[in-house]
Amino acid sequence: MKTVRFSVYRFDPSSDKKERYATYEVPYKTGMTVLDGLLYIKERLDHTLAIRYSCRMGICGSCGMTVNGLPRLACYTQVKEVGWSLKVEPLRNHPHVRDLVTNFDEFFKKHKSVKPWLVRTDSREQESPTSQYLQSDAELEKYIQFSYCISCGLCYSACPVVSSLPEFPGPQALALLYRYLADSRDQSRSERLKIVDEAVGIWRCHFAGSCSQVCPKGVDPALAIQLLRREMMRG
Amino acid sequence: MREKNVMLLHYLSGVGILIFGGIHLFTVFFTRPLGETVWETTLLFEGHQFAILEVYRNMLLASSLWFLLLFTTFHGLNGLRVILIELFPNRAVRSATRYVLLFLGFALMVYGTRTIVIAHMIR
Amino acid sequence: MRATRAQSRSYSTVLKTMLLPAGYSVERWSYTLQRVTGVVVTLYFVLHVVETGNFIGGPGVWYVPSKDFAASYYEQVKELLHNPIFDAGLVIIGWMVAFHTINGLRLTLAHFGITLGKPTRVDPESPPRSFSNYQRAIFWASIALATFAAVYSVDALFGVLSG
Ligand code: FES
């Protein structure tokens, strides 16, 4: 039977002194994803392995990890597309918790800082909308792509700017900022434009495109950020 | 200055370098007969019609060189500032780099302007 | 809590992320190259201002020198700089200047959404709209032009093409 070699990053800060890579042989099954392999390890080979996952179908965005050097969703990545020997590490740029688990507090804080919700100038309307806000197809297409984000943090982990400048909002937050800016139902354009206009804000994006390359949902954060930059220059 | 305006100047100075740097390259390189090195032609002090000193003696070319100096100083040092912001995310280092780079830019402008003016006046 | 590699921001990881983006797309390599060439060309620019200053007599000269003085100083500096090592360095600078210029133009356009695709409904099969062919074509054009510039500077500095 064909087996897949998993080399998994192990480190538990409460007991381990040094990080190490543990190797496991997992029998291959057709259609096996990286997450399937890790769950096999956890069930049969080593119960102490810590991983985070939930939906197993690329919807919840909790199983992000670095597989063979690139950030990927473990449940969304077929073993077949990466190879028979896998190196699985935690996501970069996120604080490490244990084994393959990383902490997303900082990431979600940045997400929240761009006000990812629709804002109406009329506060009564904001609290209890009186009608539906209609949109044309063209208006919808301006932002619909960016609203597919599942906040899995892969783009944040791939971004070279985040890795050197931890204060940078990251591709996810900036793309979501543009998603609400471009929405015809939103009424807080001038406030939104102020949020990331600073030395460590949007101007530090250099269009390295890694965010769009690793995004599992086709959101294309790089495109959103460049369009956001255009809006910011326009003022 | 707001970051937005600094970066706008960064893009504009880049385009400026494209124009004035093009003129600079043209006067230094493309007036050279193929096969002869610039050391024998452009960079001769005297005695060749395309010698670099001629470029400085021409008022228009000399002032285009000055604009090239201005734009490149700004563009280059601002680029360094961007990289340093990313490499050292520390507020104290950030403000220190700003003053060091401002001083460096000022020194470059003074020294370069002197070269252009004096070369323009050598007879 | 002890800091691990995945957790700490060490300069070796930062520099590796910046300079060796193995596995990533050409946009990421353009970012790395733009950065490296930018720094090198800026250093060259500083040296160039210093060196052209030397050609008219060095930092001691703040008035118009006599022509003979300037000419002899010029020859002296030229003697120092005119050697194969510096000339080869200038060929590399030529490559870098041409690359940084054209790629910089591409980035200036791309940074404002020009040459990129338009947002649409998500289509997981097609590559991201920002990886458009226009923008990539300009990247490869910058590489080609830079290589041409390097070849041209070999001729300009060593005189090999028709000499
Ligand atoms: S487990 Fe939900 S996205 Fe992978």
Side-chain angles (χ1 to χ4, degrees), chain A residues 35 53-63 73 75 150:
Chain A
L35 184 66
Y53 70 100
S54 179
C55 67
R56 289 169 287 114
M57 50 194 275
I59 292 295
C60 70
S62 53
C63 63
L73 287 183
C75 69
I150 57 172

Side-chain angles (χ1 to χ4, degrees), chain A residues 11 16 21 164 210 213 220, chain C residues 2 4 9 28 129-130:
Chain A
F11 181 74
D16 296 350
Y21 285 88
S164 54
S210 305
Q213 185 187 349
D220 203 351
Chain C
R2 223 172 279 112
T4 62
R9 180 189 178 279
R28 179 73 173 264
R129 291 292 171 120
S130 54

